[in-house]
């Protein structure tokens, strides 16, 4: 896993083979961030990385200048890995939280300029996540929400849907 651009551009982290999480491929990550550049300047923004997995997106957001990133990951080993990566970078701009994403969203009292969610594609209530984000009003005015999902999901009829992009088997729906 590598950081594509920004302050920590080119830094690599070896993800243990035992991990269940699959980091967003470098190809897909690079392409979706190229698309996002037309919607948002990450410098000084607050971001939320849901289902952080390996922390790939959180690290990328910190590298691109986000002032604060909160990453939520339930798995203990994944959380420990993300914490270790942040220590190697020597940054305190990311707060990795270990916990359930749905509980976090329901109790969250702040808004974020950018939200990224990459749940397991087989998650039973995956399709509910966009509605939950907007019902709880955690996306700031003018913010962008990126939802990574499998090919079987279509969010194009959602009232806040912006656009859909796919790179191989990786699908992203963007909301505003």
């Amino acid at each position: 896993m590598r950081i594509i651009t920004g302050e920590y551009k080119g830094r690599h982290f070896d993800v243990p083979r035992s991990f269940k999480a699959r980091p967003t491929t470098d190809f897909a990550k690079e392409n979706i961030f190229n698309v996002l550049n037309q919607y948002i300047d990450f410098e000084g923004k607050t971001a939320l990385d849901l289902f952080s997995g390996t922390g790939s997106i959180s690290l990328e957001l910190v590298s691109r200048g986000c002032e604060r990133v909160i990453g939520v990951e339930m798995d203990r080993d994944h959380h420990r890995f993300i914490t270790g990566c942040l220590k190697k970078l020597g940054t305190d701009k990311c707060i990795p939280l270990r916990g359930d994403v749905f509980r976090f969203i329901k109790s969250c009292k702040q808004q974020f300029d950018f939200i990224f969610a990459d749940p397991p594609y087989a998650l039973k209530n995956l399709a509910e996540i966009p509605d939950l984000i907007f019902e709880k009003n955690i996306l700031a005015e003018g913010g962008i929400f990126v939802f990574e999902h499998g090919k079987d999901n279509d969010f194009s009829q959602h009232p806040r849907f912006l656009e859909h992009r796919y790179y191989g088997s990786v699908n992203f729906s963007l909301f505003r």
Side-chain angles (χ1 to χ4, degrees), residues 9 29 31 34 37 45 54 58 81 87 101 112 115 118 138 145 150 161:
K9 179 181 179 176
K29 184 169 67 170
N31 280 287
N34 285 340
N37 285 335
K45 299 292 193 280
T54 62
S58 290
F81 176 77
K87 283 182 183 170
V101 164
F112 299 90
I115 300 174
D118 180 12
I138 63 173
F145 167 43
F161 179 81

Side-chain angles (χ1 to χ4, degrees), residues 132-145:
L132 189 56
I133 295 289
F134 293 110
E135 285 168 14
K136 294 300 178 180
N137 196 33
I138 63 173
L139 184 66
E141 184 77 27
I144 296 289
F145 167 43

Side-chain angles (χ1 to χ4, degrees), residues 37 50 53 109 127-128 145 147 152 157:
N37 285 335
L50 300 171
K109 303 288 187 237
E128 299 168 16
F145 167 43
F147 193 43
D152 295 333
Q157 298 306 306

Side-chain angles (χ1 to χ4, degrees), residues 5-131:
T5 198
E7 181 179 355
Y8 304 109
K9 179 181 179 176
R11 294 287 300 265
H12 286 265
F13 298 93
D14 294 324
V15 177
R17 291 189 186 276
S18 62
F19 274 22
K20 295 173 281 215
R22 54 184 181 11
T24 302
T25 64
D26 285 348
F27 175 74
K29 184 169 67 170
E30 186 167 7
N31 280 287
I32 196 62
F33 272 97
N34 285 340
V35 170
L36 289 170
N37 285 335
Q38 64 185 311
Y39 292 111
I40 187 169
D41 176 5
F42 292 102
E43 191 69 38
K45 299 292 193 280
T46 58
L48 177 62
D49 181 11
L50 300 171
F51 305 95
S52 295
T54 62
S56 173
I57 299 299
S58 290
L59 297 172
E60 191 69 39
L61 291 167
V62 168
S63 184
R64 289 172 182 257
C66 280
E67 186 61 35
R68 188 179 72 246
V69 178
I70 294 178
V72 183
E73 173 54 48
M74 185 181 289
D75 186 276
R76 180 188 68 231
D77 294 333
H78 295 192
H79 177 265
R80 189 179 304 127
F81 176 77
I82 295 165
T83 301
C85 291
L86 291 165
K87 283 182 183 170
K88 287 178 185 173
L89 293 179
T91 183
D92 62 354
K93 291 189 176 186
C94 181
I95 302 166
L97 300 178
R98 184 169 168 246
D100 179 80
V101 164
F102 294 97
R103 283 189 194 156
F104 176 86
I105 293 170
K106 288 176 182 174
S107 65
C108 185
K109 303 288 187 237
Q110 66 187 86
Q111 291 188 317
F112 299 90
D113 301 304
F114 179 76
I115 300 174
F116 187 95
D118 180 12
Y121 291 177
L123 187 69
K124 145 182 106 146
N125 46 353
L126 178 142
E128 299 168 16
I129 294 171
D131 285 336

